[in-house]
C-alpha cells in the first residue's frame, strides 16, 4: 500500500511554524517513514503546478500555517482545500489570526503609507508603492503581484478547516499527538482544537501557589519587578493570561518567568478570547472605587495588543472599525 | 434602505434594580425612546464582555448596562465586578474604533423609573448623533481594497 501523502504550506507567517516541524527532532523520522511529503515549499522544491496536477483529495492531510492576507494566499488555501482530505490550521496565525492579525488595527492604505513612505528608515521621495501590475515598456509584457487585502483573516474565515493545532508555534507534543491520531484514525469530531480543553493554570507548575481568591492592587510588567521563580505570576501582580488560555504547551513561558500571553487561544466554551481574558483580569482587580479602578486599568498599556495578541481576526469584531470617511471601495454593508 | 435608520440599542439590566425600575417606568406610564431591546440578567456582574461585543457584532449601535447602585448589589459585589470589566472594555472598544459613548453603564435602583426614562432617551439621542455603527461584514469574503483617499488610522493618538 502506498503511504498517505502529506503537504505543508505557509501563508502570512514568520517561519516559526516550519521550525516547529524541525523541532520534532528524531520524531520527524517516524513521520517521514509513515507518510510521503509531497509539498513543502520551505524545504522541498515542489511548485504550485505540482499541486494543481493532483487529483482532488489526493493529499491525505495538509498542514497550513500563517494567516490569510493576500489574494495568492486565498488561492493557495482554496487549492489545498480541494486537494486535501484533511485541512489542518497549524499555529496561532492560521487558527486565530496570530501576530500578523494585529495589522487589523489598520488597513491596507495605512500600512502602505507607513511601510513605503513614512517609516523613519524609508527614503522614497517619489512615493513609489508596489503595483499589482507593471507593464514592461518594450514588449508589453505585464508583471503581476498578488493583491494585498484590507484585513487579515484566519484560515477558517477563508476555507473550511477540519482541525486546529494551536500555539505560536504548536508545541511538539501536540503535533506528535495529532499525527499519531491521524495515522491511527483516532481523530475527534471535526472542528476540534487538538489540545486539552482545560486552562493553562491546570498544568502550570506554579499552580499550588495560586490563591483561590486573587485580589490585585497593582499590575506589573515583567521588566518592572524581580520575579519569584516559584510563585504564581498573577499572584505577583504580573499579567498572566493562563486562566483564560488553553493548556497543552506544558507552560514553557511561565516556567521561564514570562507570563502567558495566550498563544493557544481559548478553551472550547469561549467565543472571543480577548473579551474573556479581559474579563478574567478585570475581575481580579481589588478596588471598588471608580477612579482607582480606572487608574489600575491604565497600567495595562495596550489592551488590544495584550488581550488579542494572537486572535484579533478571530474575535467577534475581527478588526478595528473604520470611520466611514476612511473607507472606500464599497464597504456599504 | 427603505425605512429611515433608527438607533438599535441592547440594554442589559439586572433583575433586582434596573429591570425593576424599567418595570416601574412602564407601570407609571412613562414614555421614553423605544430603541432599546432589554435583556434581563440576574446581576450586572453576570454580563460577560463577550455579550457586549456580540451585541455590537450582531448589529447593535449602542449597549447600555444597568445595575444596582454601589453598595446595593443583591449579590454584594457583582456591580463592582461589572464596573471593573466595563472600565477596561471601554478602553478596548475605543482602540478598536468604536466610539466610547456607544457603551454606557448606569446605576439605577428599583425605585428610579424616571431615571430609566431619562437614560433611555439620552442614550437614543447620543447614538442618533453618532449614527449607525457599521461593521464591515462578512470578513469571510475578500474585502475590497482601499485604493485612495484614506486617512491613516491611529490607535489612541499613536501613529502606526
Ligand atoms: S496564573 Fe499563570 S502563573 Fe498562575 S497558575 Fe495560572 S498559568 Fe500559572
Ligand atoms: S504559556 Fe501561554 S504563551 Fe507560552 S506557549 Fe503556553 S499558551 Fe503560549
Amino acid at each position: 500500500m502506498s503511504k498517505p501523502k502529506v503537504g505543508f504550506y505557509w501563508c502570512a507567517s514568520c517561519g516559526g511554524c516550519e521550525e516547529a516541524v524541525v523541532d520534532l527532532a528524531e520524531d520527524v523520522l517516524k513521520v517521514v517513514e509513515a507518510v510521503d511529503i509531497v509539498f513543502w515549499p520551505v524545504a522541498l522544491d515542489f511548485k504550485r503546478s505540482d499541486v494543481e496536477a493532483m487529483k482532488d483529495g489526493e493529499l491525505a492531510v495538509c498542514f497550513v500555517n500563517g494567516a490569510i492576507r493576500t489574494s495568492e494566499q486565498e488561492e493557495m488555501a482554496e487549492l489545498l482545500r480541494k486537494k486535501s482530505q484533511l485541512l489542518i490550521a497549524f499555529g496561532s496565525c492560521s487558527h486565530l489570526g496570530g501576530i500578523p492579525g494585529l495589522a487589523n488595527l489598520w488597513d491596507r492604505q495605512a500600512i502602505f503609507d507607513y511601510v513605503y513612505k513614512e517609516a523613519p528608515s524609508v527614503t522614497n521621495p517619489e512615493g513609489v508603492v508596489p503595483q499589482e501590475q507593471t507593464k514592461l515598456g518594450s514588449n508589453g509584457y505585464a508583471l503581476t503581484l498578488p493583491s494585498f487585502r484590507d484585513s487579515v483573516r484566519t484560515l477558517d474565515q477563508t476555507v473550511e478547516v477540519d482541525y486546529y493545532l494551536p500555539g505560536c508555534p504548536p508545541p511538539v507534543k501536540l503535533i506528535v499527538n495529532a499525527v499519531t491520531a491521524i495515522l491511527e484514525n483516532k481523530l475527534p469530531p471535526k472542528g476540534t482544537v487538538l489540545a486539552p480543553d482545560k486552562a493553562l493554570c491546570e498544568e502550570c507548575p506554579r499552580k499550588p501557589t495560586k490563591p483561590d481568591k486573587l485580589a490585585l492592587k497593582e499590575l506589573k510588567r515583567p521588566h518592572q519587578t524581580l520575579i519569584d521563580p516559584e510563585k504564581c505570576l498573577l499572584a505577583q501582580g504580573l499579567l498572566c493570561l493562563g486562566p483564560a488560555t488553553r493548556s497543552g504547551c506544558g507552560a514553557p513561558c511561565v516556567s521561564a518567568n514570562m507570563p502567558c500571553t495566550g498563544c493557544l487561544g481559548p478553551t472550547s466554551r469561549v467565543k472571543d478570547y480577548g473579551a474573556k481574558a479581559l474579563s478574567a483580569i478585570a475581575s481580579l482587580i481589588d478596588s471598588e472605587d471608580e477612579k482607582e479602578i480606572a487608574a489600575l486599568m491604565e497600567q495595562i498599556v495596550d489592551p488590544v495588543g495584550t488581550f488579542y495578541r494572537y486572535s484579533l481576526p478571530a474575535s467577534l469584531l475581527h478588526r478595528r472599525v473604520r470611520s466611514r470617511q476612511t473607507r472606500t471601495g464599497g464597504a456599504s454593508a | 434602505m427603505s425605512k429611515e435608520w433608527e438607533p438599535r440599542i441592547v440594554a442589559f439590566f439586572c433583575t433586582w434594580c434596573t429591570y425593576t425600575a424599567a418595570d416601574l417606568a412602564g407601570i407609571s406610564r412613562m414614555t421614553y425612546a423605544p430603541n432599546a431591546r432589554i435583556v434581563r440578567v440576574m446581576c450586572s456582574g453576570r454580563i460577560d464582555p463577550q455579550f457586549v461585543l456580540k451585541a455590537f457584532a450582531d448589529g447593535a449601535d449602542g449597549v447600555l448596562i444597568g445595575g444596582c447602585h454601589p453598595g446595593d448589589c443583591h449579590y454584594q459585589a457583582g456591580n463592582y465586578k461589572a464596573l471593573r470589566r466595563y472600565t477596561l472594555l471601554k478602553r478596548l472598544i475605543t482602540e478598536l474604533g468604536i466610539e466610547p459613548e456607544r457603551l454606557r453603564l448606569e446605576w439605577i435602583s428599583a425605585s428610579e423609573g424616571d431615571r430609566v426614562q431619562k437614560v433611555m432617551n439620552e442614550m437614543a439621542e447620543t447614538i442618533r448623533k453618532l449614527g449607525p455603527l457599521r461593521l464591515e461584514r462578512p470578513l469571510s469574503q475578500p474585502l475590497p481594497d482601499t485604493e485612495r483617499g484614506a486617512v491613516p488610522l491611529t490607535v489612541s493618538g499613536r501613529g502606526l
Side-chain angles (χ1 to χ4, degrees), chain A residues 150 153 297 300 322 327, chain B residues 84 91 134 136 139 146:
Chain A
D150 248 348
R153 288 182 291 154
M297 297 302 182
I300 300 172
R322 296 183 290 168
R327 284 186 218 170
Chain B
R84 293 194 283 264
R91 278 186 62 207
R134 291 188 203 251
E136 291 155 80
L139 254 205
T146 306

Side-chain angles (χ1 to χ4, degrees), chain A residues 32-99:
Chain A
V32 174
E33 216 164 89
V35 304
D36 241 345
I37 300 175
V38 296
F39 186 54
W40 192 10
V42 81
L44 305 165
D45 188 18
F46 290 105
K47 302 280 188 256
R48 176 168 165 165
S49 52
D50 298 316
V51 182
E52 282 165 342
M54 290 176 193
K55 291 198 291 290
D56 286 1
E58 188 169 328
L59 287 173
V61 31
C62 186
F63 298 89
V64 176
N65 68 70
I68 308 292
R69 159 62 94 186
T70 66
S71 57
E72 186 246 358
Q73 290 157 354
E74 285 157 20
E75 288 160 21
M76 283 308 290
E78 274 158 26
L79 178 66
L80 290 166
R81 170 70 277 181
K82 231 174 51 199
K83 304 295 180 188
S84 315
Q85 288 162 41
L86 291 177
L87 190 70
I88 301 189
F90 189 96
S92 304
C93 301
S94 181
H95 174 208
L96 303 166
I99 302 274

Side-chain angles (χ1 to χ4, degrees), chain A residues 47-265:
Chain A
K47 302 280 188 256
R48 176 168 165 165
S49 52
D50 298 316
V51 182
E52 282 165 342
M54 290 176 193
K55 291 198 291 290
D56 286 1
E58 188 169 328
L59 287 173
V61 31
C62 186
F63 298 89
V64 176
N65 68 70
I68 308 292
R69 159 62 94 186
T70 66
S71 57
E72 186 246 358
Q73 290 157 354
E74 285 157 20
E75 288 160 21
M76 283 308 290
E78 274 158 26
L79 178 66
L80 290 166
R81 170 70 277 181
K82 231 174 51 199
K83 304 295 180 188
S84 315
Q85 288 162 41
L86 291 177
L87 190 70
I88 301 189
F90 189 96
S92 304
C93 301
S94 181
H95 174 208
L96 303 166
I99 302 274
L102 282 171
N104 282 1
L105 284 167
W106 295 277
D107 58 15
R108 168 182 149 129
Q109 183 74 44
I111 292 168
F112 274 32
D113 283 348
Y114 186 80
V115 170
Y116 295 109
K117 296 177 188 164
E118 294 156 10
S121 54
V122 168
T123 319
N124 183 6
E126 280 119 64
V128 178
V129 293
Q131 300 299 308
E132 281 166 32
Q133 220 187 52
T134 310
K135 282 236 161 60
L136 297 182
S138 52
N139 58 5
Y141 187 79
L143 294 175
T144 59
L145 277 178
S147 127
F148 188 96
R149 301 299 185 199
D150 248 348
S151 298
V152 170
R153 288 182 291 154
T154 64
L155 187 62
D156 72 357
Q157 285 167 345
T158 312
V159 292
E160 213 180 301
V161 166
D162 296 298
Y163 295 99
Y164 304 85
L165 257 169
C168 185
V172 169
K173 197 179 78 191
L174 295 184
I175 305 175
V176 173
N177 287 351
V179 172
T180 315
I182 294 167
L183 289 174
E184 294 176 357
N185 210 356
K186 283 190 184 140
L187 280 162
K190 188 178 156 165
T192 304
V193 176
L194 302 174
D197 202 8
K198 283 183 304 198
L200 177 65
C201 294
E202 303 298 318
E203 69 172 7
C204 175
R206 298 179 192 247
K207 172 83 188 296
T209 59
K210 185 179 173 203
D212 286 338
K213 251 183 109 59
L214 275 159
L216 305 179
K217 268 282 181 223
E218 194 185 5
L219 288 171
K220 284 177 285 200
R221 302 168 79 193
H223 65 276
Q224 293 169 321
T225 180
L226 257 183
I227 301 172
D228 179 325
E230 251 128 67
K231 203 167 147 206
C232 167
L233 295 169
L234 258 183
Q236 299 183 56
L238 287 145
L239 224 154
C240 182
L241 297 182
T245 305
R246 192 186 276 268
S247 59
C249 58
C253 307
V254 176
S255 308
N257 271 354
M258 271 306 286
C260 171
T261 51
C263 71
L264 264 77

Side-chain angles (χ1 to χ4, degrees), chain B residues 46-62:
Chain B
R46 174 66 184 91
I47 301 163
D48 187 320
Q50 290 185 97
F51 298 176
V52 175
L53 296 184
K54 177 87 174 129
F56 283 129
D58 286 356
D61 302 303

